[in-house]
Amino acid sequence: MKRSSFILSLIFGLFATTFILTACSSDDEESGNSLVGTWIVKSISEEDDLEFTSITFKSNGNVEYPGMESDYYMKWTTIGNTLRIDMGEGHPDDFIIGTYNINGNTLTYSYHWEDYDGKWVGENTYTMILERK
């Protein structure tokens, strides 16, 4: 009897530990606040020369847009509410960096341009508004 009580206690303890660890895992990557997915461009500051109608943030860090050349390099990363998109012909050359906010299905991104090698920093700040597809 003691042995079966011990085994039941051990099984219950393992089950409880598994449940607690699973319940505490981060759901941020799959939440509605995730950048992953396709976004339709609603507006971009007129002064910026980015020309695409939608942008897709892949879970592996890649970025794609319609008409993108196959050898064009685009990768995204975030730290907190800062989004950085590295880009260039075959390798990173420049990047845009700034803060983003997701409110429902709307993404607002205020950013500026910088040289990947640190040779220059753009003076202008641009705003892009996107809607989740």
Side-chain angles (χ1 to χ4, degrees):
M1 185 70 164
K2 273 186 164 182
R3 185 169 172 85
S4 64
S5 289
F6 172 75
I7 291 174
L8 285 175
S9 295
L10 182 62
I11 291 172
F12 178 77
L14 290 172
F15 177 79
T17 301
T18 303
F19 178 78
I20 290 170
L21 291 175
T22 303
C24 294
S25 69
S26 174
D27 295 330
D28 292 346
E29 293 176 7
E30 301 300 324
S31 74
N33 289 333
S34 174
L35 284 169
V36 174
T38 300
W39 297 83
I40 307 301
V41 176
K42 293 301 183 182
S43 67
I44 299 178
S45 300
E46 288 182 22
E47 310 84 38
D48 199 1
D49 61 356
L50 288 175
E51 296 180 10
F52 47 81
T53 56
S54 67
I55 187 168
T56 300
F57 295 96
K58 302 283 194 168
S59 61
N60 65 1
N62 289 335
V63 178
E64 297 176 357
Y65 62 88
M68 183 173 153
E69 300 287 328
S70 62
D71 66 339
Y72 197 71
Y73 178 96
M74 284 185 85
K75 294 272 189 184
W76 69 279
T77 56
T78 59
I79 297 176
N81 70 333
T82 299
L83 169 62
R84 174 177 164 153
I85 304 174
D86 297 341
M87 57 189 79
E89 298 291 331
H91 58 84
D93 182 37
D94 299 326
F95 62 90
I96 57 177
I97 187 167
T99 58
Y100 75 96
N101 180 49
I102 299 174
N103 186 3
N105 287 326
T106 301
L107 165 62
T108 304
Y109 181 37
S110 296
Y111 61 94
H112 67 272
W113 286 87
E114 292 190 29
D115 179 66
Y116 189 80
D117 296 322
K119 296 176 184 171
W120 56 267
V121 174
E123 296 177 4
N124 297 328
T125 299
Y126 305 99
T127 300
M128 185 184 310
I129 301 186
L130 306 104
E131 184 176 290
R132 190 180 299 275
K133 183 174 181 181

